[in-house]
Amino acid sequence: MKPKATKAPAVDLSVEIAGLRFATPIWTASGTAGVGEEVAEWCDTARLGAMVTKSVSLEPRSGHPYPRTCETAGGMLNAIGLQNKGVEDFIRDELPRLRAMATRVVVNIVGHTQEDYVGMARRLARERGIDMLELNLSCPNVARGIDNGSDPAWVEECVGKVRAATRAPLVVKLTPNTNDIASLARAAERGGADAISAINTLVGMSVNYHTFKPRLSNVTGGLSGPAIKPVALACVHKIVRAVKIPVIGIGGIASGTDAAEFLIVGARAVQVGTANFRMPDAPIRVADELAAYLAAKGIGRATDLIGRLSL
């Protein structure tokens, strides 16, 4: 079903990142809106800043056994395990649908090794219709997903190798499961990243007190949703002050004022994630609410809000 077209707000929400103009600073977050068709019935994707795909790997992955998600107070846990059909199926079956959408396309890529990331970048460089690559260096639900992504030397080396393999703008998604996220951001910048996205999920756990068993088959999972927003804001604040490249905020964004807080801290765009499971049109709602907030404040452009934090 084609969604009803919605009217764009009068306030100028457009932003520029890595030389690309985005209609709004509101993007979807990887893994929360599939490849677009899952939300297209409810969400006018033409009004998204960008569609960020679920993670794609060189080879198909089946993910972890069920159960893989559970609700928590103020959020949710997931341990999907990066399930996907692999890059060749993605290019054949899903990329054509993404190309047809009137929005920017950011493909989130993941690998076991640095060579996997390089291989993905080279393979996707042969395809049209991809505006950016987001390197998922920080998934907490797979072996060494955090270990590699929390090592600045590994991050710099990996980003550098991918940078050498493609001209596509690179966004590097960082983990908050580290003592020093700013050092990871600097490492990604040295490696050649065009932008940083943060944060990925926090490691969490839930226990069934009737059965005495973990609620996730993987025992632990990634915590997302409103509960992590204060952590995400603090991380974005640190990163903005550590690097010169743009930062894209992620973490518990479900309203226009949530998005505004990230822009005030210095993020140039934000990704809406867990809210999509409850409201498939959440990114459009967030964009409209952000526009209303800006209008009420007498701010005509979203870019005029970026970095206005008063300390």
Side-chain angles (χ1 to χ4, degrees):
M1 179 185 297
K2 186 177 181 180
K4 182 179 179 181
T6 51
K7 185 177 180 181
V11 173
D12 181 5
L13 292 179
S14 65
V15 296
E16 185 174 312
I17 296 174
L20 299 176
R21 180 186 176 278
F22 296 81
T24 85
I26 314 300
W27 305 7
T28 63
S30 177
T32 65
V35 290
E37 64 176 356
E38 293 87 344
V39 298
E41 182 176 345
W42 300 276
C43 184
D44 181 3
T45 53
R47 288 190 50 210
L48 291 173
M51 171 67 66
V52 183
T53 71
K54 179 171 173 52
S55 293
V56 184
S57 55
L58 276 175
E59 78 294 348
R61 294 188 182 191
S62 58
H64 294 309
Y66 293 92
R68 306 194 293 193
T69 63
C70 72
E71 290 189 46
T72 67
M76 65 175 287
L77 283 167
N78 90 83
I80 305 299
L82 299 174
Q83 176 188 3
N84 75 96
K85 295 181 179 178
V87 68
E88 295 304 329
D89 276 29
F90 169 80
I91 291 170
R92 183 186 64 240
D93 300 334
E94 297 172 342
L95 187 55
R97 290 195 290 269
L98 284 163
R99 288 194 194 108
M101 293 182 183
T103 189
R104 295 287 188 189
V105 174
V106 180
V107 178
N108 181 293
I109 64 174
V110 68
H112 292 295
T113 66
Q114 294 178 358
E115 287 67 34
D116 287 348
Y117 287 95
V118 171
M120 286 289 295
R122 285 178 174 157
R123 179 64 188 90
L124 292 171
R126 305 205 300 268
E127 303 297 326
R128 62 180 177 84
I130 298 173
D131 295 294
M132 280 187 168
L133 299 179
E134 183 177 61
L135 277 61
N136 182 358
L137 304 184
S138 51
C139 180
N141 303 321
V142 295
R144 296 197 60 75
I146 292 177
D147 294 344
N148 289 335
S150 59
D151 178 350
W154 192 93
V155 169
E156 182 177 353
E157 185 175 7
C158 184
V159 176
K161 289 180 178 178
V162 176
R163 176 73 289 159
T166 180
R167 294 181 178 178
L170 301 178
V171 183
V172 177
K173 190 171 184 177
L174 298 180
T175 178
N177 301 290
T178 174
N179 291 328
D180 188 2
I181 198 168
S183 68
L184 297 178
R186 285 191 290 266
E189 185 177 43
R190 288 194 300 271
D194 295 288
I196 302 291
S197 56
I199 58 175
N200 208 323
T201 54
L202 290 151
V203 175
M205 180 178 178
S206 181
V207 173
N208 185 321
Y209 48 79
H210 292 297
T211 64
F212 305 162
K213 293 182 178 179
R215 286 194 167 91
L216 298 177
S217 67
N218 192 54
V219 181
T220 61
L223 178 66
S224 62
I228 73 168
K229 196 183 91 175
V231 178
L233 275 169
C235 288
V236 168
H237 176 54
K238 289 180 182 177
I239 295 168
V240 165
R241 300 202 301 179
V243 299
K244 296 179 180 178
I245 55 179
V247 179
I248 301 157
I250 316 168
I253 297 163
S255 70
T257 50
D258 288 338
E261 289 184 52
F262 279 85
L263 297 186
I264 291 168
V265 166
R268 187 164 291 273
V270 299
Q271 296 181 10
V272 176
T274 303
N276 294 325
F277 296 120
R278 185 165 54 90
M279 302 180 293
D281 63 343
I284 304 303
R285 292 183 184 221
V286 171
D288 287 344
E289 291 173 8
L290 176 62
Y293 162 83
L294 291 169
K297 286 287 186 183
I299 300 173
R301 301 182 304 174
T303 53
D304 291 337
L305 186 65
I306 296 170
R308 289 182 63 168
L309 182 68
S310 178
L311 297 175

